[in-house]
Amino acid sequence: MANIISDETIEYVGILAKLELSEEEKEQAKKDIGRMLDYIDKLNELDTSGVEPLSHVFPVNNVFREDVVTNTDTRLAILANAPAQKDGSFKVPKTVE
């Protein structure tokens, strides 16, 4: 394990994550973080000189649909459900004097 994680680092990470870790959990976290860093070191050994950086693994295209009006004028059907209406609009009680 080339990456040695100190107790202070684990304490600091615990504070940042707002975690209260027991001594066993701190030891396990040290091992886990060390394994993660070892894996990253192994990935850094790969030759990526001819590889372009990606933002997504799969090609992402515009997934938005066209903005097409599909409904018709349903104003009369909506007003039929209103308890009161006047001149083609909802009639509501006066709230401001």
Side-chain angles (χ1 to χ4, degrees):
M1 190 187 284
N3 295 298
I4 305 298
I5 307 300
S6 68
D7 291 334
E8 292 81 20
T9 302
I10 296 299
E11 285 287 330
Y12 183 66
V13 170
I15 291 169
L16 290 176
K18 297 186 181 193
L19 296 174
E20 292 182 21
L21 301 173
S22 66
E23 289 303 317
E24 297 83 26
E25 291 171 328
K26 288 178 187 177
E27 287 302 316
Q28 186 61 42
K30 280 172 63 173
K31 291 177 189 174
D32 290 344
I33 292 174
R35 282 196 304 260
M36 286 185 242
L37 293 175
D38 288 341
Y39 184 70
I40 291 170
D41 285 344
K42 188 169 202 84
L43 289 176
N44 285 335
E45 295 173 5
L46 295 173
D47 180 24
T48 58
S49 58
V51 179
E52 286 188 41
L54 295 174
S55 61
H56 297 284
V57 177
F58 300 107
V60 177
N61 298 324
N62 186 357
V63 294
F64 299 112
R65 65 172 171 78
E66 289 293 321
D67 190 14
V68 178
V69 177
T70 57
N71 58 349
T72 58
D73 184 18
T74 57
R75 181 173 49 110
L76 294 176
I78 293 171
L79 283 174
N81 294 320
Q85 55 179 302
K86 180 179 179 184
D87 299 327
S89 300
F90 291 105
K91 185 176 178 184
V92 296
K94 188 175 183 180
T95 57
V96 178
E97 302 221 14

